[in-house]
Amino acid sequence: SQTIHQWPATLVQPVGSPLSLECTVEGTSNPNLYWYRQAAGRGLQLLFYSVGIGQISSEVPQNLSASRPQDRQFILSSKKLLLSDSGFYLCAWSASGGIYFGEGSWLTVV
Amino acid sequence: QKEVEQNSGPLSVPEGAIASLNCTYSDRGSQSFFWYRQYSGKSPELIMSIYSNGDKEDGRFTAQLNKASQYVSLLIRDSQPSDSATYLCAVPNYGGSQGNLIFGKGTKLSVKP
């Protein structure tokens, strides 16, 4: 069966510091992968998606970036975090019938 | 901009009752609909999907779809305290990737023992 893991689970970062969140999927090949963010008082928002290695699409302009260096690895990065980047970041993969989320990463920017 | 609307709640029901969660969507062309359950501090979990008008049952959960009214609902029979969570409705944002879903902000359900 397919599983998805992401880390770290929680982190507190100062404004202006870099960020790297990592996600890996097991049990499937060439998955479509996604990064969503859930900010306080707001719904889930799609940030990036990837249909293959090196193929990244951005849904919203921001100071975040994503990369897919391997088939089952998806990374979310920032060079300089803003306070507004705080939130719950979720990696997901899609199959027919919906998308499936990882455990999530709680980011607090202070 | 496509929208998915849900009553934020909280919706409070006694244990054993039927909980009814509602969702409306703006895109008349939407063809598939998803319900996710999210416990506090956890990631959302897919619990139901529905594609055709009418009802779809899975255990204590029933999803109901009315495309003419652009309305989808989730019924939880014999509600349990463990059902207390936020329920998210989602529809695909066509034109993007398969997993590009538009989510409502969710309805918080509280089941009282």
Side-chain angles (χ1 to χ4, degrees), chain B residues 71-82:
Chain B
Y71 178 95
V72 58
S73 64
L74 180 69
L75 301 179
I76 306 175
R77 291 183 302 280
D78 188 24
S79 295
Q80 301 296 310
S82 58

Side-chain angles (χ1 to χ4, degrees), chain A residues 32 34 36 38 41-44 46 49 59 88 90 94-104 106, chain B residues 34 36 38 40-46 49 51 88 93 95-105:
Chain A
N32 289 348
Y34 309 84
Y36 278 81
Q38 189 173 40
R42 300 187 63 180
L44 278 161
L46 179 64
Y49 68 89
E59 290 295 312
F88 190 34
L90 293 152
S94 65
S96 58
I99 64 171
Y100 301 87
F101 292 96
E103 305 96 331
W106 287 97
Chain B
F34 305 97
Y36 286 80
Q38 186 175 22
S40 180
K42 302 297 184 181
S43 61
E45 173 191 11
L46 179 64
S49 58
Y51 307 97
L88 306 172
N93 186 14
S97 170
Q98 175 187 8
N100 186 347
L101 300 183
I102 299 174
F103 285 84
K105 293 185 179 181

